[in-house]
Each structure stands twice: as C-alpha cells, then as structure tokens.
Amino acid sequence: MDNKNKLLTIGQFALLHGINKKTLMWYDEIGLFKPAAINPENGYRCYNYHQSPILETILLLRELDVSIAEIQNFMKNRSAQNLKCLLEEKIAELDLQLMHLQAVRKTLSNYKQNMSTLLTMDLSEISIVEKEKRCLVTVDIDRDITFEKEVELITAQTAKYHLGRLHDASYGSMIPVSSLLSGNFDNYTKLFIEIPLLDHKSGLHIQPAGKYLKAFHKGSWDNLPKRYQEILSYAHKHDLTLSGYSYEKGINEIVVDQIEDYMIQIEIPIL
C-alpha cells in the first residue's frame, strides 16, 4: 500500500501538524477540512498524508489572519490563480506590518540611545559629531503661531504619512543659522518630524550628512539664547562655519515631569 494512503487517527494527524485535534474536529464541523474516512466501527475520523499539503495551506492562511470565511471561499474555488491572488494580498499586508515593526524598532533604539546619552552626558560639553543624511517632514511656522496650530499641523502630517501613533516618529524644531548669527534666537521657522525608514521623496527636507556641532540645554526655553551664545562662541574660537539650520529635539520627555529637567539636544551642521 502507498504510505500516503495509510490512514492516521485524528490524534496522529493532529500531532503530525502540531495542532490540537479539536481544531480538526472544528474544521470538519464547519465543512472546511473533512477527514479522508470515518472508521465504520467506532465513527472516529481518519486522515491520510495526501491531505497534509491542504491542511498546511489552511494553517498558513490562518497564521496570516485570513478569516475562516475567506478560506472557505478559497477552498470552494481552489485554483492556482485564486491562491496567487490571495497570497499577493497577504504578502502586501505582511510587508506593511514589517515596515511598521522596523519603524517601532528604530524608535525604541532612539529612545535607548537618548537614555544612554542622559546617563553619560556632560551638559557643559560642546562636541563635533558625524551624522548620516536624514529625510525629514517639515511644516512652516513663525513666531506668532499658536501651540494649538502647531499640534494641528503635526497631526495632519502624521496622518498624511500613515503613522499609527505619535510615538512612531520623533519631533523637533528648526531655526536658521542666519537667525542665530544675527541674534534672533526665537526665529523658529519649521517643525520637523523624523519618520523612521522614510524614503527620499519630493518635498521632504534633507538634513545633510557630515559634521555637526552638538550641545545640550537643560531647563526652560527662556535660557536657550544663552546656550546658543556659548555655541557661537565655541564655533568662532575654533574657526568653524555653521550652516543651514539648528535642529532641536527633546530627548527625555518620557522620564521627566518638570520643565526644569527637560533636556534639549542641539545639532548644527558645520561646513
């Protein structure tokens, strides 16, 4: 006898596929997957190896969260074309899930890096660091814009780029270096949103790769001008030319309650 035609008990067949035999009983009851035979002596369900590929396909589709109704419809109209279409749809959904998980992982890595920085940083230090290019979503603002309007603009952009939650991205503000050099320390012109794994697209702001001055400020924004004066003095002393924008980003919002403990990271490109 062909071994593939050899009948297995429901328990043996369930064990072979790593599932509970109650699952097979349920699939039989709803007409999704029937046994190969019923033992005439005791009424027990029996299966054979020929059925394994079909069951594995059903289990795969269930793992992909395909509904029972969808699987039933496919089983009634089983064909290479229908399976191809179904799998293409699920692969596309998986790709979106993977992108989301990669973005979440990057966000968590950024949080971890921020916490490591907090534990080792010297607040008085101004350093030169190397940065990779980043693509940023930006919205234009001016000094008269209200906080409510800023929230509205950010919300619109997060919706545009299909962010599930605000924590899927990091946020900050930008002030032109030209404004800093002229003493206009409150002339913020843009808010930025850094979305993990965002590809280069038309309309995005490119934060260039290269060397940056990096510094930190702790406490109220009212004292930021003093910190910028220290940064400009450092650049002048070391004959450094600053360009573009200063990029400001809070790095400890999730672990502080008072503005006095709030930490801002400042990064400015060096020509």
Side-chain angles (χ1 to χ4, degrees):
M1 175 187 289
D2 184 351
N3 285 336
K4 289 190 176 181
N5 289 321
K6 182 179 179 180
L7 293 178
L8 303 173
T9 67
I10 189 172
Q12 291 172 326
F13 198 65
L15 182 62
L16 178 65
H17 292 277
I19 59 175
N20 192 299
K21 64 181 182 181
K22 289 183 179 180
T23 300
L24 288 173
M25 295 169 65
W26 180 51
Y27 285 173
D28 181 17
E29 290 169 4
I30 63 175
L32 178 61
F33 184 74
K34 309 292 285 184
I38 301 293
N39 189 315
E41 297 179 1
N42 53 28
Y44 288 172
R45 298 170 175 86
C46 298
Y47 299 83
N48 62 39
Y49 289 109
H50 283 295
Q51 295 179 284
S52 287
I54 297 175
L55 178 60
E56 283 297 324
T57 300
I58 293 172
L59 296 177
L60 172 63
L61 295 176
R62 288 297 292 147
E63 192 172 337
L64 295 174
D65 289 328
V66 180
S67 70
I68 290 295
E70 286 181 283
I71 298 175
Q72 286 177 317
N73 182 62
F74 165 71
M75 294 300 290
K76 292 174 183 176
N77 303 278
R78 211 156 26 117
S79 71
Q81 181 61 36
N82 287 343
L83 181 57
K84 177 177 177 291
C85 291
L86 182 58
L87 293 178
E88 284 177 345
E89 177 185 334
K90 296 307 168 183
I91 288 171
E93 291 176 6
L94 272 178
D95 286 341
L96 289 176
Q97 292 174 23
L98 288 171
M99 287 179 63
H100 173 69
L101 288 174
Q102 288 175 320
V104 169
R105 188 186 190 286
K106 185 171 177 61
T107 299
L108 293 177
S109 296
N110 288 339
Y111 283 164
K112 179 185 174 183
Q113 180 60 48
N114 288 342
M115 296 307 103
S116 297
T117 299
L118 288 171
L119 294 171
T120 59
M121 71 192 309
D122 177 356
L123 274 177
S124 64
E125 182 183 13
I126 299 174
S127 60
I128 298 176
V129 298
E130 195 80 27
K131 290 185 64 67
E132 297 180 353
K133 181 182 76 173
R134 294 192 301 172
C135 297
L136 305 177
V137 178
T138 61
V139 292
D140 294 331
I141 59 171
D142 57 45
R143 65 186 68 194
D144 297 322
I145 194 170
T146 64
F147 176 73
E148 290 75 15
K149 184 61 177 178
E150 288 185 0
V151 172
E152 181 183 321
L153 291 170
I154 290 292
T155 302
Q157 290 299 318
T158 55
K160 178 179 176 181
Y161 287 90
H162 307 293
L163 285 176
R165 302 179 62 86
L166 289 178
H167 72 226
D168 288 344
S170 57
Y171 305 83
S173 54
M174 298 162 55
I175 182 170
V177 167
S178 58
S179 295
L180 298 177
L181 294 174
S182 62
N184 294 324
F185 298 113
D186 61 348
N187 187 35
Y188 291 90
T189 58
K190 295 179 186 292
L191 300 176
F192 73 80
I193 310 168
E194 182 183 4
I195 302 175
L197 309 177
L198 184 65
D199 294 328
H200 176 63
K201 296 179 181 178
S202 176
L204 295 180
H205 172 85
I206 303 301
Q207 183 180 359
K211 295 186 183 300
Y212 282 70
L213 268 192
K214 183 175 184 178
F216 298 92
H217 170 71
K218 182 178 181 180
S220 169
W221 283 272
D222 294 338
N223 294 323
L224 255 177
K226 180 181 177 181
R227 187 54 169 157
Y228 271 121
Q229 289 170 346
E230 294 170 351
I231 293 170
L232 294 176
S233 295
Y234 178 94
H236 178 74
K237 179 180 178 180
H238 293 84
D239 198 25
L240 302 174
T241 302
L242 306 180
S243 68
Y245 292 88
S246 172
Y247 299 86
E248 296 179 11
K249 181 173 69 173
I251 63 171
N252 67 340
E253 300 101 322
I254 59 177
V255 293
V256 298
D257 296 317
Q258 304 178 83
I259 188 62
E260 292 79 10
D261 297 320
Y262 186 68
M263 200 78 67
I264 296 173
Q265 175 182 282
I266 300 167
E267 294 178 331
I268 309 175
I270 302 171
L271 282 180

